[in-house]
Amino acid sequence: MDREKQMESFHRKIKRVLFTQEEIQAAVQKAGKEISDSYDGNPILLVSILKGAYVFLADLSRAITVPSEIGFMCAKSYYKGTVSTGAVKITMDLDQDVSKYHVIIVEDIIDTGRTLNDVVNLLKTRNPLSLRVITLLDKPSRRKVDFKADVSLFTIPDHFVIGYGLDCGEYYRNLPYIAEYNKGAE
Ligand code: IMP
Ligand code: MG
């Protein structure tokens, strides 16, 4: 396929912008301030589960003005039907000893809730000073396990979304806004 056709097909799948760059930045700055205000002298560890949250983490970490570190994990959860087997496979783990930190898990989107539910339970066994979850987006209508984030920047209906770190088939992560994906244009 030639360049023009590829580009046309790429853009056709971006249905509509749900949250602009400006709206996202305003919400991220507010969340960063709230985290900074909660600082009690112990370091904060922002934990991102790769890959979707990398853009949110980059912006949120720069909106925080108190001592904080970042860490990355790769995780996969195993389920029998809708029930978690409790087995979460960590393909890449944190370097840090979480018992020294207030841990904040930074997630891109909570859909069924399965991955985060298992990661939260795993990290709790490592005795962090505290553990909170902040998510950029939340799709509560899709939940398969009972899971609630402490902070959610935007709540959306059951739309498949792309941009600001979120992908479809690994593309569109680099869009500066969050958009609805146009399944009909595939
Ligand atoms: P779950 O909550 O365990 O189902 O997994 C959530 C993960 O699914 C997110 O971290 C995303 O990687 C992916 N995901 C869920 N909904 C969307 C979406 O609308 N767009 C892009 N990725 C999504
Ligand atoms: Mg993800």
Side-chain angles (χ1 to χ4, degrees), residues 79 110-118 143-145 147:
Y79 277 76
I110 306 179
D111 188 37
T112 66
R114 288 168 169 169
T115 313
L116 264 194
N117 192 51
D118 285 349
R143 218 58 111 244
K144 293 276 192 270
V145 294
F147 185 86

Side-chain angles (χ1 to χ4, degrees), residues 7-138:
M7 291 305 293
E8 195 274 328
S9 147
F10 181 80
H11 286 293
R12 196 155 26 90
K13 291 173 198 156
I14 306 171
K15 194 171 183 180
R16 66 193 168 104
V17 175
L18 293 179
F19 303 107
T20 64
Q21 226 173 328
E22 291 73 23
E23 287 169 322
I24 299 167
Q25 283 313 317
V28 171
Q29 292 304 317
K30 183 170 171 275
K33 188 178 180 312
E34 281 166 9
I35 291 171
S36 304
D37 289 347
S38 76
Y39 179 63
D40 68 359
N42 292 297
I44 290 170
L45 178 63
L46 302 170
V47 174
S48 172
I49 303 161
L50 292 170
K51 309 176 190 169
Y54 80 105
V55 179
F56 181 35
L57 177 76
D59 283 347
L60 182 66
S61 63
R62 287 177 294 173
I64 293 173
T65 53
V66 297
S68 51
E69 293 182 32
I70 59 164
F72 296 99
M73 285 177 94
C74 270
K76 190 174 172 12
S77 297
Y78 293 92
Y79 277 76
K80 276 194 181 129
T82 58
V83 180
S84 171
T85 61
V88 50
K89 191 178 174 208
I90 306 297
T91 53
M92 189 178 93
D93 208 340
L94 294 166
D95 311 321
Q96 293 92 343
D97 169 4
V98 303
S99 69
K100 297 184 169 60
Y101 298 89
H102 288 299
V103 172
I104 302 177
I105 300 179
V106 181
E107 182 59 310
D108 53 351
I109 187 164
I110 306 179
D111 188 37
T112 66
R114 288 168 169 169
T115 313
L116 264 194
N117 192 51
D118 285 349
V119 170
V120 163
N121 287 335
L122 173 77
L123 289 185
K124 274 185 187 161
T125 67
R126 299 182 184 171
N127 300 314
L129 295 177
S130 68
L131 183 62
R132 282 177 283 169
V133 174
I134 180 167
T135 186
L136 175 68
L137 293 154
D138 192 5

